[in-house]
mmCIF file of all heavy atoms in Angstrom:
data_model
loop_
_atom_site.group_PDB
_atom_site.id
_atom_site.type_symbol
_atom_site.label_atom_id
_atom_site.label_comp_id
_atom_site.label_asym_id
_atom_site.label_seq_id
_atom_site.Cartn_x
_atom_site.Cartn_y
_atom_site.Cartn_z
ATOM 1 N N PRO A 31 159.912 158.204 143.123
ATOM 2 C CA PRO A 31 158.583 158.095 142.549
ATOM 3 C C PRO A 31 158.351 159.193 141.496
ATOM 4 O O PRO A 31 157.628 160.146 141.725
ATOM 5 C CB PRO A 31 157.657 158.249 143.756
ATOM 6 C CG PRO A 31 158.444 159.072 144.726
ATOM 7 C CD PRO A 31 159.892 158.709 144.489
ATOM 8 N N LEU A 32 158.968 159.012 140.363
ATOM 9 C CA LEU A 32 158.883 160.003 139.266
ATOM 10 C C LEU A 32 158.234 159.334 138.023
ATOM 11 O O LEU A 32 158.790 159.355 136.947
ATOM 12 C CB LEU A 32 160.240 160.545 138.933
ATOM 13 C CG LEU A 32 160.954 161.271 140.066
ATOM 14 C CD1 LEU A 32 162.390 161.591 139.701
ATOM 15 C CD2 LEU A 32 160.198 162.541 140.421
ATOM 16 N N LEU A 33 157.063 158.781 138.224
ATOM 17 C CA LEU A 33 156.389 158.067 137.140
ATOM 18 C C LEU A 33 156.200 158.917 135.900
ATOM 19 O O LEU A 33 156.210 158.421 134.784
ATOM 20 C CB LEU A 33 155.020 157.541 137.629
ATOM 21 C CG LEU A 33 155.046 156.520 138.758
ATOM 22 C CD1 LEU A 33 153.611 156.145 139.137
ATOM 23 C CD2 LEU A 33 155.849 155.302 138.369
ATOM 24 N N GLU A 34 155.991 160.200 136.079
ATOM 25 C CA GLU A 34 155.705 161.080 134.943
ATOM 26 C C GLU A 34 156.884 161.213 133.987
ATOM 27 O O GLU A 34 156.721 161.678 132.854
ATOM 28 C CB GLU A 34 155.273 162.457 135.416
ATOM 29 C CG GLU A 34 153.972 162.415 136.216
ATOM 30 C CD GLU A 34 152.812 161.805 135.464
ATOM 31 O OE1 GLU A 34 152.644 162.087 134.254
ATOM 32 O OE2 GLU A 34 152.075 161.019 136.069
ATOM 33 N N LEU A 35 158.079 160.819 134.412
ATOM 34 C CA LEU A 35 159.245 160.875 133.528
ATOM 35 C C LEU A 35 159.441 159.633 132.698
ATOM 36 O O LEU A 35 160.294 159.598 131.812
ATOM 37 C CB LEU A 35 160.508 161.168 134.352
ATOM 38 C CG LEU A 35 160.521 162.478 135.148
ATOM 39 C CD1 LEU A 35 161.800 162.607 135.911
ATOM 40 C CD2 LEU A 35 160.303 163.662 134.230
ATOM 41 N N LEU A 36 158.664 158.597 132.970
ATOM 42 C CA LEU A 36 158.809 157.324 132.252
ATOM 43 C C LEU A 36 158.130 157.394 130.896
ATOM 44 O O LEU A 36 157.146 158.122 130.704
ATOM 45 C CB LEU A 36 158.215 156.183 133.069
ATOM 46 C CG LEU A 36 158.886 155.914 134.414
ATOM 47 C CD1 LEU A 36 158.118 154.856 135.181
ATOM 48 C CD2 LEU A 36 160.325 155.473 134.199
ATOM 49 N N PRO A 37 158.613 156.637 129.896
ATOM 50 C CA PRO A 37 157.993 156.667 128.564
ATOM 51 C C PRO A 37 156.564 156.144 128.590
ATOM 52 O O PRO A 37 155.746 156.534 127.767
ATOM 53 C CB PRO A 37 158.886 155.767 127.718
ATOM 54 C CG PRO A 37 159.862 155.131 128.626
ATOM 55 C CD PRO A 37 159.817 155.809 129.951
ATOM 56 N N ASP A 38 156.232 155.264 129.570
ATOM 57 C CA ASP A 38 154.872 154.747 129.651
ATOM 58 C C ASP A 38 154.148 155.359 130.859
ATOM 59 O O ASP A 38 153.430 154.677 131.589
ATOM 60 C CB ASP A 38 154.869 153.220 129.727
ATOM 61 C CG ASP A 38 155.606 152.705 130.977
ATOM 62 O OD1 ASP A 38 156.382 153.467 131.590
ATOM 63 O OD2 ASP A 38 155.403 151.527 131.317
ATOM 64 N N ALA A 39 154.285 156.667 131.021
ATOM 65 C CA ALA A 39 153.740 157.351 132.189
ATOM 66 C C ALA A 39 152.248 157.150 132.332
ATOM 67 O O ALA A 39 151.736 156.920 133.442
ATOM 68 C CB ALA A 39 154.062 158.832 132.144
ATOM 69 N N ALA A 40 151.488 157.182 131.241
ATOM 70 C CA ALA A 40 150.046 157.011 131.317
ATOM 71 C C ALA A 40 149.684 155.632 131.881
ATOM 72 O O ALA A 40 148.804 155.502 132.730
ATOM 73 C CB ALA A 40 149.411 157.224 129.969
ATOM 74 N N ALA A 41 150.376 154.606 131.419
ATOM 75 C CA ALA A 41 150.097 153.254 131.922
ATOM 76 C C ALA A 41 150.481 153.143 133.401
ATOM 77 O O ALA A 41 149.756 152.500 134.188
ATOM 78 C CB ALA A 41 150.860 152.234 131.091
ATOM 79 N N GLN A 42 151.604 153.729 133.779
ATOM 80 C CA GLN A 42 152.036 153.684 135.170
ATOM 81 C C GLN A 42 151.058 154.439 136.063
ATOM 82 O O GLN A 42 150.739 154.010 137.183
ATOM 83 C CB GLN A 42 153.445 154.280 135.336
ATOM 84 C CG GLN A 42 154.533 153.453 134.633
ATOM 85 C CD GLN A 42 154.668 152.084 135.223
ATOM 86 O OE1 GLN A 42 154.490 151.862 136.418
ATOM 87 N NE2 GLN A 42 154.982 151.119 134.380
ATOM 88 N N ARG A 43 150.566 155.585 135.610
ATOM 89 C CA ARG A 43 149.600 156.366 136.370
ATOM 90 C C ARG A 43 148.327 155.570 136.535
ATOM 91 O O ARG A 43 147.721 155.525 137.610
ATOM 92 C CB ARG A 43 149.316 157.701 135.641
ATOM 93 C CG ARG A 43 148.594 158.689 136.483
ATOM 94 C CD ARG A 43 148.395 160.051 135.782
ATOM 95 N NE ARG A 43 149.457 160.432 134.876
ATOM 96 C CZ ARG A 43 149.346 160.422 133.537
ATOM 97 N NH1 ARG A 43 148.242 160.007 132.947
ATOM 98 N NH2 ARG A 43 150.363 160.803 132.780
ATOM 99 N N ALA A 44 147.882 154.883 135.475
ATOM 100 C CA ALA A 44 146.668 154.073 135.535
ATOM 101 C C ALA A 44 146.846 152.913 136.525
ATOM 102 O O ALA A 44 145.917 152.596 137.290
ATOM 103 C CB ALA A 44 146.303 153.508 134.150
ATOM 104 N N ALA A 45 147.999 152.291 136.524
ATOM 105 C CA ALA A 45 148.262 151.194 137.461
ATOM 106 C C ALA A 45 148.253 151.708 138.898
ATOM 107 O O ALA A 45 147.677 151.063 139.800
ATOM 108 C CB ALA A 45 149.601 150.541 137.151
ATOM 109 N N THR A 46 148.832 152.867 139.141
ATOM 110 C CA THR A 46 148.833 153.476 140.483
ATOM 111 C C THR A 46 147.415 153.812 140.904
ATOM 112 O O THR A 46 147.006 153.541 142.046
ATOM 113 C CB THR A 46 149.741 154.727 140.510
ATOM 114 O OG1 THR A 46 151.057 154.318 140.188
ATOM 115 C CG2 THR A 46 149.718 155.377 141.886
ATOM 116 N N ASP A 47 146.632 154.388 139.992
ATOM 117 C CA ASP A 47 145.235 154.720 140.312
ATOM 118 C C ASP A 47 144.441 153.470 140.653
ATOM 119 O O ASP A 47 143.594 153.493 141.546
ATOM 120 C CB ASP A 47 144.586 155.439 139.127
ATOM 121 C CG ASP A 47 145.129 156.860 138.931
ATOM 122 O OD1 ASP A 47 145.802 157.380 139.841
ATOM 123 O OD2 ASP A 47 144.919 157.415 137.850
ATOM 124 N N ASP A 48 144.721 152.353 139.964
ATOM 125 C CA ASP A 48 144.050 151.096 140.227
ATOM 126 C C ASP A 48 144.417 150.575 141.632
ATOM 127 O O ASP A 48 143.535 150.129 142.361
ATOM 128 C CB ASP A 48 144.423 150.056 139.167
ATOM 129 C CG ASP A 48 143.724 148.744 139.392
ATOM 130 O OD1 ASP A 48 142.486 148.723 139.630
ATOM 131 O OD2 ASP A 48 144.405 147.688 139.326
ATOM 132 N N ILE A 49 145.667 150.697 142.013
ATOM 133 C CA ILE A 49 146.085 150.267 143.349
ATOM 134 C C ILE A 49 145.392 151.110 144.423
ATOM 135 O O ILE A 49 144.880 150.575 145.423
ATOM 136 C CB ILE A 49 147.612 150.329 143.503
ATOM 137 C CG1 ILE A 49 148.248 149.256 142.636
ATOM 138 C CG2 ILE A 49 148.038 150.183 144.959
ATOM 139 C CD1 ILE A 49 149.753 149.382 142.504
ATOM 140 N N ILE A 50 145.316 152.427 144.203
ATOM 141 C CA ILE A 50 144.644 153.306 145.154
ATOM 142 C C ILE A 50 143.173 152.989 145.264
ATOM 143 O O ILE A 50 142.592 152.877 146.350
ATOM 144 C CB ILE A 50 144.884 154.777 144.782
ATOM 145 C CG1 ILE A 50 146.360 155.133 144.985
ATOM 146 C CG2 ILE A 50 143.999 155.708 145.621
ATOM 147 C CD1 ILE A 50 146.773 156.455 144.387
ATOM 148 N N ALA A 51 142.508 152.782 144.116
ATOM 149 C CA ALA A 51 141.078 152.436 144.120
ATOM 150 C C ALA A 51 140.838 151.106 144.838
ATOM 151 O O ALA A 51 139.885 150.955 145.601
ATOM 152 C CB ALA A 51 140.545 152.365 142.691
ATOM 153 N N THR A 52 141.724 150.136 144.602
ATOM 154 C CA THR A 52 141.609 148.846 145.277
ATOM 155 C C THR A 52 141.757 148.997 146.783
ATOM 156 O O THR A 52 141.023 148.381 147.553
ATOM 157 C CB THR A 52 142.684 147.840 144.743
ATOM 158 O OG1 THR A 52 142.469 147.689 143.327
ATOM 159 C CG2 THR A 52 142.581 146.502 145.430
ATOM 160 N N PHE A 53 142.673 149.841 147.196
ATOM 161 C CA PHE A 53 142.860 150.090 148.643
ATOM 162 C C PHE A 53 141.565 150.650 149.244
ATOM 163 O O PHE A 53 141.109 150.180 150.276
ATOM 164 C CB PHE A 53 144.004 151.049 148.895
ATOM 165 C CG PHE A 53 144.105 151.441 150.356
ATOM 166 C CD1 PHE A 53 144.680 150.581 151.269
ATOM 167 C CD2 PHE A 53 143.592 152.643 150.791
ATOM 168 C CE1 PHE A 53 144.746 150.929 152.620
ATOM 169 C CE2 PHE A 53 143.635 152.993 152.117
ATOM 170 C CZ PHE A 53 144.240 152.136 153.048
ATOM 171 N N HIS A 54 140.969 151.634 148.587
ATOM 172 C CA HIS A 54 139.754 152.234 149.116
ATOM 173 C C HIS A 54 138.607 151.245 149.129
ATOM 174 O O HIS A 54 137.754 151.313 150.028
ATOM 175 C CB HIS A 54 139.398 153.490 148.329
ATOM 176 C CG HIS A 54 140.330 154.638 148.595
ATOM 177 N ND1 HIS A 54 140.428 155.238 149.816
ATOM 178 C CD2 HIS A 54 141.213 155.256 147.780
ATOM 179 C CE1 HIS A 54 141.320 156.219 149.752
ATOM 180 N NE2 HIS A 54 141.835 156.241 148.539
ATOM 181 N N ARG A 55 138.601 150.343 148.201
ATOM 182 C CA ARG A 55 137.539 149.367 148.095
ATOM 183 C C ARG A 55 137.747 148.175 149.034
ATOM 184 O O ARG A 55 136.819 147.712 149.676
ATOM 185 C CB ARG A 55 137.457 148.891 146.642
ATOM 186 C CG ARG A 55 136.198 148.224 146.239
ATOM 187 C CD ARG A 55 136.109 147.964 144.733
ATOM 188 N NE ARG A 55 137.294 147.270 144.223
ATOM 189 C CZ ARG A 55 138.218 147.813 143.410
ATOM 190 N NH1 ARG A 55 138.089 149.059 143.007
ATOM 191 N NH2 ARG A 55 139.244 147.121 142.988
ATOM 192 N N GLU A 56 138.985 147.691 149.125
ATOM 193 C CA GLU A 56 139.225 146.426 149.834
ATOM 194 C C GLU A 56 140.266 146.518 150.959
ATOM 195 O O GLU A 56 140.572 145.524 151.588
ATOM 196 C CB GLU A 56 139.710 145.411 148.822
ATOM 197 C CG GLU A 56 138.727 145.146 147.706
ATOM 198 C CD GLU A 56 139.262 144.216 146.647
ATOM 199 O OE1 GLU A 56 140.102 143.389 146.958
ATOM 200 O OE2 GLU A 56 138.801 144.349 145.509
ATOM 201 N N ARG A 57 140.816 147.687 151.152
ATOM 202 C CA ARG A 57 141.860 147.935 152.134
ATOM 203 C C ARG A 57 143.144 147.197 151.764
ATOM 204 O O ARG A 57 143.317 146.711 150.683
ATOM 205 C CB ARG A 57 141.407 147.630 153.563
ATOM 206 C CG ARG A 57 140.313 148.571 154.002
ATOM 207 C CD ARG A 57 140.825 149.990 154.031
ATOM 208 N NE ARG A 57 139.735 150.932 154.220
ATOM 209 C CZ ARG A 57 139.850 152.205 153.938
ATOM 210 N NH1 ARG A 57 140.981 152.703 153.524
ATOM 211 N NH2 ARG A 57 138.844 153.018 154.118
#
Side-chain angles (χ1 to χ4, degrees):
L32 299 172
L33 296 178
E34 297 303 317
L35 299 179
L36 297 174
D38 62 342
Q42 294 297 326
R43 194 177 327 106
T46 299
D47 291 344
D48 182 47
I49 291 169
I50 292 168
T52 301
F53 174 79
H54 288 295
R55 198 172 51 250
E56 302 175 27
R57 295 297 169 197

